[in-house]
Amino acid sequence: MSSTTLNIGIIGGGISGITAAWLLSRRHRVTLIEKEPQLGGHTHTHILGSGPDAGTPIDMGFIVLNDRNYPTLLTLFSQWGVRIQNSDMSFGFEDKDSGFYYSSDVPRGLFARWQNLISPCFWRLFWDVFRFNRIAARELKTGLGHLTLGQFLQQYGFSRAYIDFHIVPVSAAVWSTPSENILDFPAESILRFYNHHGLLTLAHRPQWKTVAGGSVSYIQAFEKQFQGAVKKASPVRHVKRMTDKVKVIFEDRTEMDFDRVVLATHADISRQILAHPQPDESRILSKWSYIRNQVTLHTDKQVMPPRRSAWASWSYLQIGAKQRNPAMTMSYYMNRLQRLKTRDDYFVTLNGDTWIEPGRRIESVLFDHPCYTFDSLSTHPELDAINGKDRIFYCGAYCGYGFHEDGARSGLAVAQKFGIGL
Ligand SMILES: Cc1cc2nc3c(=O)[nH]c(=O)nc-3n(C[C@H](O)[C@H](O)[C@H](O)COP(=O)(O)OP(=O)(O)OC[C@H]3O[C@@H](n4cnc5c(N)ncnc54)[C@H](O)[C@@H]3O)c2cc1C
């Protein structure tokens, strides 16, 4: 690509747009455009404003990364001088109807409910955890083709307890997706993700981390050092290819012209704002749909199992084996994840409206997560072909597994198209 300085507009100030903006600004004039009054997208930290813990930063969106699977993000953090600290990852589950609960803390959490010791269903679940790891590692060597997670579990005869009380809740929690949808996820993608993250073995697991001072710290560090322009509170309505430039039209009808534009918004939004998309852009982007999650920061312990010894960093709450709430409900125990030294316990719960007392709610936000189907995943190999075609580029966590590293890596991939690396 040309070595002249280009005028580049980047739409979307989440991790994908921030990464592309940071790298491209080394050689080009960059304007980062964000709809909201602040940058961050899914990076959202609430600073407690009152009460005994006033001033404490609590993360409500992006919370954790690890030292093995986040190389792009870790490099950026080191360039920005962002400090990270060890976190503590554990998983817990509670079924309100049957009163069954456990957490992955051995032995305290596993047997926090003493009846687990004599429950055949619990021991079958426990046995299936090891069986799943063994079978998954073996089957990944040959590939699982078009098998869904549901079909994979059925094919290998996993117990109802393992499916309903473990693998479905864990996977639904990881992908912020309702349990019913998770069974339709491509098995191979899920298994590869678990394998890649060291979740199919009990040894050599990565060390999980959080950003010291809350994830907002990295946004602040980026903004302090970024050499380009930032245009906040500026929702884009349309992006139009002109003969020799790209026009960005804002909701307030003002316009800006750029030599190149990067769409760092979710795929469905990119499709919406792109005026006159080319047929392959339209086909690829329209295969992505998103699941909306309501995320609430609060202090209501009702979302956690009755015994503290079963309180895990991630805690899934179910009402009966077939959860009646169509959205999945899970809570992050923030004191444990962020090592908070607060007087109160703080939780961030996804879709917990039924459980959280209104008086205990601190803030609620809505976040959309990409939905992974065979159809949407089939676009991954094609994304590179539309990237940069006729002066428009794409990035976003949807270009990978949907996590922060995927967003950062997709921003890096755009920069690489301009010959710029990390
Ligand atoms: C509750 C929750 C917790 C999560 N926790 C983790 C975690 O701990 N670790 C992890 O690795 N991943 C986590 N994720 C995944 C994480 O959200 C994604 O990896 C990543 O942050 C998404 O980045 P993005 O840049 O693709 O999108 P976003 O962060 O959503 O950024 C897109 C940006 O585009 C802006 N925008 C949209 N429309 C317009 C418009 N018309 N004009 C201008 N701007 C626009 C939006 O306002 C937004 O700022 C979590 C996700 C959720 C939902």
Side-chain angles (χ1 to χ4, degrees):
M1 197 157 278
S2 131
S3 60
T4 50
T5 302
L6 296 166
N7 188 18
I8 303 175
I10 298 178
I11 302 168
I15 184 62
S16 318
I18 284 176
T19 305
W22 174 253
L23 299 174
L24 289 172
S25 68
R26 289 185 184 153
R27 279 198 221 147
H28 300 285
R29 240 183 359 263
V30 172
T31 305
L32 179 57
I33 301 164
E34 168 56 45
K35 172 178 81 164
E36 301 295 336
Q38 71 288 326
L39 294 181
H42 284 183
T43 297
H44 182 90
T45 305
H46 181 101
I47 314 281
L48 294 174
S50 57
D53 304 316
T56 306
I58 305 187
D59 290 330
M60 294 179 65
F62 163 65
I63 304 167
V64 289
L65 65 154
N66 69 43
D67 59 3
R68 189 188 301 169
N69 306 106
Y70 289 73
T72 318
L73 194 62
L74 284 168
T75 306
L76 292 168
F77 281 2
S78 104
Q79 291 175 5
W80 296 331
V82 172
R83 279 192 313 114
I84 51 176
Q85 61 188 17
N86 284 352
S87 179
D88 169 89
M89 207 44 129
S90 53
F91 178 79
F93 171 87
E94 181 186 10
D95 179 54
K96 287 280 182 199
D97 265 9
S98 63
F100 174 71
Y101 60 87
Y102 69 89
S103 91
S104 59
D105 292 325
V106 182
R108 256 164 53 101
L110 281 184
F111 305 111
R113 176 182 177 269
W114 69 265
Q115 293 93 327
N116 290 355
L117 269 169
I118 52 163
S119 158
C121 155
F122 174 79
W123 286 109
R124 180 68 209 272
L125 180 162
F126 198 60
W127 168 245
D128 274 347
V129 169
F130 294 98
R131 214 162 64 84
F132 180 88
N133 292 351
R134 208 179 52 241
I135 295 173
R138 188 186 68 213
E139 294 305 307
L140 276 176
K141 287 184 186 139
T142 47
L144 288 150
H146 254 59
L147 225 52
T148 63
L149 178 66
Q151 290 164 336
F152 172 81
L153 295 169
Q154 199 180 16
Q155 184 166 317
Y156 289 97
F158 285 98
S159 64
R160 228 25 285 160
Y162 177 73
I163 296 173
D164 291 337
F165 300 160
H166 188 74
I167 192 65
V168 166
V170 169
S171 309
V174 168
W175 274 279
S176 312
T177 294
S179 48
E180 288 185 5
N181 296 35
I182 210 79
L183 286 169
D184 295 330
F185 266 41
E188 183 157 338
S189 297
I190 292 198
L191 266 47
R192 281 211 188 285
F193 175 85
Y194 287 151
N195 192 32
H196 195 49
H197 284 73
L199 297 170
L200 297 181
T201 63
L202 295 181
H204 312 301
R205 293 202 159 182
Q207 171 63 53
W208 288 90
K209 309 267 182 184
T210 58
V211 178
S215 51
V216 71
S217 307
Y218 92 70
I219 303 289
Q220 291 163 344
F222 158 78
E223 278 195 88
K224 226 183 239 172
Q225 298 167 69
F226 179 51
Q227 297 293 316
V230 178
K231 194 169 158 52
K232 298 178 193 170
S234 304
V236 170
R237 178 182 285 191
H238 283 308
V239 168
K240 252 188 196 162
R241 285 185 176 102
M242 312 300 280
T243 334
D244 57 349
K245 60 188 177 199
V246 184
K247 192 174 276 304
V248 170
I249 304 150
F250 294 91
E251 287 293 352
D252 65 5
R253 293 183 192 282
T254 55
E255 298 180 356
M256 281 179 90
D257 290 339
F258 295 99
D259 299 315
R260 306 280 185 276
V261 161
V262 180
L263 289 169
T265 41
H266 296 180
D268 56 344
I269 293 172
S270 300
R271 166 68 193 82
Q272 228 171 283
I273 62 183
L274 184 62
H276 316 300
Q278 297 174 353
D280 46 357
E281 287 174 322
S282 190
R283 184 177 50 79
I284 290 170
L285 296 174
S286 60
K287 287 195 175 163
W288 289 93
S289 60
Y290 283 74
I291 292 163
R292 179 148 290 182
N293 287 292
Q294 187 196 45
V295 182
T296 304
L297 169 63
H298 65 98
T299 56
D300 194 339
K301 298 179 175 58
Q302 286 187 78
V303 296
M304 300 304 270
R307 277 179 203 268
R308 232 175 211 278
S309 45
W311 285 17
S313 313
W314 292 38
S315 194
Y316 189 95
L317 179 59
Q318 184 161 283
I319 317 158
K322 271 215 170 294
Q323 194 177 26
R324 283 185 279 275
N325 180 357
M328 66 103 198
T329 302
M330 63 102 30
S331 300
Y332 302 107
Y333 179 26
M334 300 311 297
N335 295 61
R336 208 169 153 174
L337 277 164
Q338 278 186 274
R339 306 206 155 182
L340 302 179
K341 296 203 169 38
T342 50
R343 195 195 71 178
D344 289 340
D345 288 310
Y346 293 92
F347 311 98
V348 168
T349 297
L350 270 63
N351 311 310
D353 244 10
T354 343
W355 299 100
I356 311 162
E357 252 183 54
R360 293 199 159 270
R361 296 176 195 184
I362 299 169
E363 190 190 351
S364 271
V365 286
L366 294 172
F367 287 137
D368 295 338
H369 206 76
C371 191
Y372 286 90
T373 61
F374 286 106
D375 227 20
S376 57
L377 279 167
S378 72
T379 66
H380 275 168
E382 294 185 278
L383 278 166
D384 188 55
I386 58 165
N387 224 339
K389 217 171 153 191
D390 239 344
R391 288 162 285 136
I392 294 187
F393 295 77
Y394 298 93
C395 58
Y398 70 93
C399 301
Y401 282 118
F403 296 92
H404 236 57
E405 172 66 14
D406 300 295
R409 194 179 301 151
S410 72
L412 167 63
V414 166
Q416 284 167 336
K417 295 252 171 204
F418 290 78
I420 302 170
L422 265 179

